[in-house]
Amino acid sequence: MSLANALEAVVRDLRNTGGIELRISDEPATSDPGYESVLLLSGRRSWTGLLAPIALTDDERLAHVADQIQEFVFEELARLGLPVTWPECPEHPASHPLTPVLTSGLPSWQCPRSGDTVAPIGQLHS
């Protein structure tokens, strides 16, 4: 899975669940040949580099990208004074976010409390 496809899947989850506005710049965040990279930009003019090691498998790359985007979203939500719970756990509303993990090799969103898999990354719905 290319970095572009991984980004598309996580951004789809962000849009489907009412997360923050996120833009992606094709400008590389690093010149290190061991990474694919882009810049993430918020509607509030914040930005961060997203790095995906070339050596990761497709499934590892998707979980890794989801984790990095989630961290950026957390920072943006905190700046806005909003709960830092994206994506919100449907089992425990207003409590904690789901965690991007590899479950049986499948990149998924998982409840950190129960360990239940909620959805594959890229397939969240509000």
Side-chain angles (χ1 to χ4, degrees):
M1 172 177 288
S2 69
L3 178 56
N5 290 341
L7 289 165
E8 182 181 318
V10 180
V11 169
R12 182 172 48 249
D13 282 347
L14 191 58
R15 285 188 196 124
N16 288 345
T17 57
I20 64 163
E21 177 189 339
L22 181 68
R23 292 177 295 129
I24 299 165
S25 168
D26 291 333
E27 184 176 336
T30 184
S31 59
D32 187 324
Y35 294 88
E36 287 183 280
S37 65
V38 295
L39 293 178
L40 300 177
L41 305 122
S42 78
R44 298 186 55 82
R45 302 179 192 241
S46 299
W47 61 274
T48 192
L50 183 145
L51 306 170
I54 300 286
L56 295 178
T57 67
D58 290 349
D59 292 334
E60 290 169 336
R61 178 174 289 109
L62 181 51
H64 179 78
V65 166
D67 182 63
Q68 287 191 59
I69 289 177
Q70 185 181 49
E71 288 299 321
F72 184 63
V73 169
F74 286 171
E75 292 171 14
E76 289 303 297
L77 290 171
R79 281 189 193 112
L80 294 168
L82 296 171
V84 181
T85 56
W86 182 83
E88 185 176 51
C89 178
E91 293 179 13
H92 308 101
S95 175
H96 58 264
L98 298 172
T99 303
V101 297
L102 283 176
T103 304
S104 301
L106 179 68
S108 303
W109 293 107
Q110 183 180 74
C111 171
R113 190 176 296 165
S114 70
D116 291 342
T117 297
V118 172
I121 295 173
Q123 296 181 28
L124 279 177
H125 300 284
S126 57

